[in-house]
Structure formats: structure tokens, C-alpha cells
Amino acid sequence: MQLQFQGQFLELDPSGALFWPRYAMLVVADLHLEKGNAFARRGTLLPPYDSHATLARLEALMDRWRPDTVVSLGDGFHDRRGPLDLSPDLFDRLAGLTRSRRWVWVTGNHDPVVPLGLGGAAVADLHVDGVVLRHAPTGEVAEIAGHLHPKARLRTSRRHLARPCFAGDADRLLLPALGSFTGGLNVLDPAIHSFFPTGFHAYLLGGERVFRFPHRVLAGEPAALHHRLG
């Protein structure tokens, strides 16, 4: 789906990535690589395949869009130990991607320091043609951010359908998390909705396309689920 934002044409990919044709730039958010290992260190065992799945998504995206530049919008790794936990084959796969074109690691709250032995450059934020790409939204005009892992819920005649999504208005665009095991936050939660005081659209990820819905048709979390979430 093509989206006009701040005078620029952007492509919203059904994977949750963003492609900026003018600069041949692929933007992804919240990879959270090595999250499974991070949880294992803390005593919670998860299947140790999240980084493999996330890198496979990245590889497919780069094959599809052929970007000159890739920007990771923070939380590329789930914690500081993540780069050290990469198996040799995962390290080689990731380094092969980061060294094959211009790669920018925007630092996040989970990865405030990115070891550049993997390749690429690390920045706190990136300014491109009047737009700021950063990890967490600040409320400033003309920003593209991640961090909040937006998802949207639709009511249908038979059930509620929840999907990761982009969320945006004329001033701000939030990207969904690309990584495995990342979960999501309902876009009607105040942590997201407060950034869009006059309304917004959610762009739900489908199997092969992105679907646009105004915020007024979306549903909040069911009471039982909301209670479980905390």
C-alpha cells in the first residue's frame, strides 16, 4: 500500500516494514533479536528459533525491495547480550546483510549500545528530508517511530480479529514490530492513542496486502484479555 506522508510517498509492506522509494530505503522496527535466549537466561524457556525467523523475514524483504539503505528503528536486539548470544551461523547471516549495503542501527531502550563489529552505523535518530526516524515517538511533528508494537482489533459478525498494524496521521507514523515473540499493544491504548488527539488510521497487516481503517471502527481489548494483560 502506498501512503503519502509529509510530502513523501512511502510503501507499507504486509510484513510491517516500510520502503521509502525516493531513497531506496527499507525501514524496520523492533527486531528484538535473541529474545528467546534473553528469556532463557532468566529462567523462561521459549523455542530458540526467533532470530532465525526474524532474519528470514529480513532476507525476504531485502530480496523483494532491493534497498540501498536499511534502517533498524531501535531494539534490534532484545538486550545488550543479544549480539554475544548469536550463534556463528546467525552472526554470519546478519553480518552478510549489514555489510551488503548501507545499514543504520537506531539505538533503542533495549539496545542503547550496538556493537559495530556486525557492520553498519549507530545513531540516536536519523533525519531524512524533514522527517525524523527514531525509536520511540516523542510527539514532535514529522516522525517515524517504532517501540510501541501497535496492533488493531476489528469486530466482525462472528469474532474479533486482531492484527499488527501501522498507525498514523499527517504528523506521525508508527511501525509494528518485525521480530518474533514481540506481541503488540492495542492502538486504542492511551500509550498510543494519545499521540493522535484528532484521530488516525490503522493499516492492518494481511497476508499479501495492507488494509486501512479509521480509528473509530476499531475495538479495544476484551475485558477478560485486558485483565490478563495487566
Side-chain angles (χ1 to χ4, degrees), residues 13 42 55 65 99 110 116 148 161 170 185 197 201 206 213 218:
D13 190 272
R42 297 170 177 84
L55 285 184
W65 292 106
R99 294 170 181 170
H110 282 263
L116 298 184
L148 293 172
L161 174 66
L185 179 67
H201 282 84
F213 294 94
L218 304 176

Side-chain angles (χ1 to χ4, degrees), residues 8 21 41 60 63 66-67 83-84 86 97 113-114 121 128-129 132 143 147 186 195 205 210:
Q8 302 289 327
R41 291 197 306 271
D63 285 343
R66 302 290 180 180
L84 302 176
L86 287 169
L97 295 178
V113 177
V114 178
V128 181
D129 213 349
V132 183
E143 63 180 357
H147 180 57
N186 193 297
F195 285 106
L205 308 186
V210 175

Side-chain angles (χ1 to χ4, degrees), residues 74-152:
D75 289 357
F77 288 90
H78 189 67
D79 62 12
R80 293 172 184 258
R81 278 280 305 273
L84 302 176
D85 285 342
L86 287 169
S87 64
D89 65 310
L90 285 173
F91 184 96
D92 289 345
R93 282 176 68 187
L94 181 55
L97 295 178
T98 61
R99 294 170 181 170
S100 64
R101 59 261 294 155
R102 290 188 294 273
W103 191 286
V104 181
W105 300 99
V106 175
T107 54
N109 56 298
H110 282 263
D111 59 349
V113 177
V114 178
L116 298 184
L118 280 167
V123 299
D125 51 40
L126 183 65
H127 295 251
V128 181
D129 213 349
V131 176
V132 183
L133 290 85
R134 53 168 53 103
H135 176 55
T138 65
E140 295 180 17
V141 172
E143 63 180 357
I144 296 175
H147 180 57
L148 293 172
H149 302 201
K151 71 174 183 180

Side-chain angles (χ1 to χ4, degrees), residues 143-190:
E143 63 180 357
I144 296 175
H147 180 57
L148 293 172
H149 302 201
K151 71 174 183 180
R153 184 175 291 272
L154 287 172
R155 296 187 185 94
T156 69
S157 58
R158 297 182 178 179
R159 61 190 177 97
H160 283 210
L161 174 66
R163 297 290 298 165
C165 69
F166 298 86
D169 62 7
D171 296 328
R172 185 167 300 101
L173 181 64
L174 304 182
L175 270 63
L178 192 77
S180 304
F181 299 162
T182 47
L185 179 67
N186 193 297
V187 290
L188 299 184
D189 186 281

